Structures are given as C-alpha cells and as structure tokens.
Amino acid sequence: MNKNALMLASDIMEQAQHSGRQAGTALEAIASQQGDETMLAVLTEMDILTVAKIVREHDATIPSIATWLMDAESIKQLLNVEPSYWENMEEDTVFSAQTEAHSLLTQIFLTTDDEEKQLEILRVIVEDDFGLLYLSLPFVGHDFSEMEEDEEQASGSVEELLMKIKSLSEDAYREVMTVSTNGTLENIESTLKQNANKQRVTALEMDTDDMFAPL
C-alpha cells in the first residue's frame, strides 16, 4: 500500500503543479476506483502545500474531496499554509483575502452534513491562534446587527457560514465575533501571510532534508 500510495502521490503532486483542479479530479478517481482508504493514504504522502493548492482551486460548487476526508489536524495545517499562496495572485486579478478564506471555509463547513466531524474541525481550528484568525477573516467589517438568525440565509453567504459556526459551537461563534469585530483586514491578512510563509519555508526545508535522508 505504501509504495502504491507514494507513486500515486508523486503523480498527483506533479499534476498539481499545473492545475490544482486537475489534481483534485485525479484524487476523486483514486477514491472512486480504489476506495477512500487508498485516497487518504495518498494524501498522507503529499506535502500540505500541495494539498492546499488543490483545495484552494476548488470551491463550494465543486468542492475538493480532500476537505471531506482530511482529519481536523490536517485541516488546521491547511489553513496555516494556504495564505502563502496569496502572495502569488496575479496583479491584474481582483484579489481578496476575505474571498479566499470564505471560499475555503465554505468547502469545509457547508458542503457536507457530518456535523460531528465539523465540530471537531471547528474546535481544533479555534484552539490555534492562526486558525482562529483565518476562521474570523470572512466576517471582518460586516455588520450582522440586522441579520435575522431564524431566517434561512442565502446559500454560500457569509451569513450562512456564520450561522453554521454558531449552530456547531456558541463558544466558537463568540470568539469569531470578538476577533472579527476588533481586528482589521490589513492586520489579520498580514499576520496570516507571515505565519504561512514561515510554515512554507519550514515545509520546504523538511522536504529537502528528506531528499538526503539515507534509504
């Protein structure tokens, strides 16, 4: 299994260099043809930076299978490194860190019905300082004072995401509201990018060390 997973992971990572969406489709094919267990074994052999590239090139309309099957700790790591890709967005592209964070969090919390797993993921994210910042980013600058919580929110909206968090955990909801109310977009985005770039350097250094490890 390990040798097969390593070979498959190598192929997926090569595809991801060209297209995260294409690599995500390949992961789905592995899960369909060889089962979720094999697909998870492949994910385990992949570096988190590549997984982040795959996930961020999906959205709620076409979610990545990785976000459905990854465990809570891996999701937290994903959120820690994903902002490193914000630096590479083309200058002529309309870019918003809030939109990026909203898209990824929507995949995690609004495309499946497994609330037990979602709660576990939410708890792990909130316990991490940078995870909490990422989780709060979509809501910074929004005024929710007139939002009717009992009404159904627009599908995929920041309001729906916020109410999902509240339905899973009142404590997490309160922490998110505190951060999003007191923080600024500039400071939160800058902090997340600095942390993500440090994580990226560490991950790349580890990969380099592995290249020279004795067989």
Side-chain angles (χ1 to χ4, degrees):
M1 168 68 81
N2 287 342
K3 185 176 181 180
N4 180 52
L6 187 58
M7 292 176 61
L8 290 170
S10 178
D11 182 55
I12 297 294
M13 288 189 289
E14 184 176 347
Q15 291 186 55
Q17 296 302 312
H18 305 287
S19 169
R21 183 67 66 87
Q22 179 181 320
T25 301
L27 279 175
E28 291 178 8
I30 292 172
S32 175
Q33 297 167 13
Q34 303 185 44
D36 290 350
E37 184 178 341
T38 299
M39 200 282 283
L40 284 171
V42 172
L43 275 179
T44 300
E45 297 292 345
M46 295 169 59
D47 65 276
I48 194 64
L49 290 167
T50 301
V51 177
K53 186 177 191 298
I54 292 172
V55 171
R56 72 186 311 278
E57 292 188 21
H58 289 71
D59 55 34
T61 60
I62 307 178
S64 168
I65 192 172
T67 58
W68 293 349
L69 298 180
M70 291 170 69
D71 60 26
E73 185 64 27
S74 297
I75 292 290
K76 184 199 74 175
Q77 294 174 6
L78 176 72
L79 299 189
N80 268 251
V81 301
E82 194 272 334
S84 68
Y85 285 99
W86 298 350
E87 301 278 6
N88 300 324
M89 300 296 290
E90 295 182 10
E91 293 182 2
D92 60 350
T93 300
V94 177
F95 169 74
S96 166
Q98 274 192 305
T99 300
E100 296 291 309
H102 178 216
S103 176
L104 198 157
L105 291 168
T106 297
Q107 282 192 69
I108 296 169
F109 292 109
L110 296 181
T111 62
T112 69
D113 297 322
D114 190 346
E115 293 198 346
E116 183 177 349
K117 182 174 182 180
Q118 289 172 342
L119 177 57
E120 180 185 2
I121 292 171
L122 183 61
R123 285 173 175 165
V124 170
I125 291 174
V126 171
E127 288 173 358
D128 178 72
D129 290 341
F130 297 105
L132 178 58
L133 287 177
Y134 195 106
L135 185 66
S136 305
L137 183 57
F139 313 111
V140 177
H142 288 274
D143 181 6
F144 299 106
S145 60
E146 297 183 3
M147 181 178 65
E148 297 291 339
E149 296 186 9
D150 294 336
E151 294 183 1
E152 183 176 354
Q153 307 302 325
S155 178
S157 65
V158 291
E159 290 83 4
E160 184 187 26
L161 180 59
L162 183 63
M163 287 301 95
K164 179 64 176 183
I165 292 171
K166 186 175 184 179
S167 71
L168 291 171
S169 169
E170 288 277 355
D171 290 339
Y173 166 78
R174 283 191 290 270
E175 292 203 52
V176 165
M177 290 305 293
T178 297
V179 173
S180 62
T181 300
N182 297 325
T184 66
L185 284 175
E186 182 178 358
N187 287 343
I188 293 177
E189 181 178 346
S190 176
T191 300
L192 289 172
K193 285 196 293 189
Q194 288 177 20
N195 173 63
N197 288 332
K198 289 179 181 177
Q199 298 275 347
R200 188 183 191 94
V201 170
T202 300
L204 292 174
E205 287 176 346
M206 290 177 63
D207 284 347
T208 302
D209 289 341
D210 289 342
M211 289 173 61
F212 296 100
L215 298 177

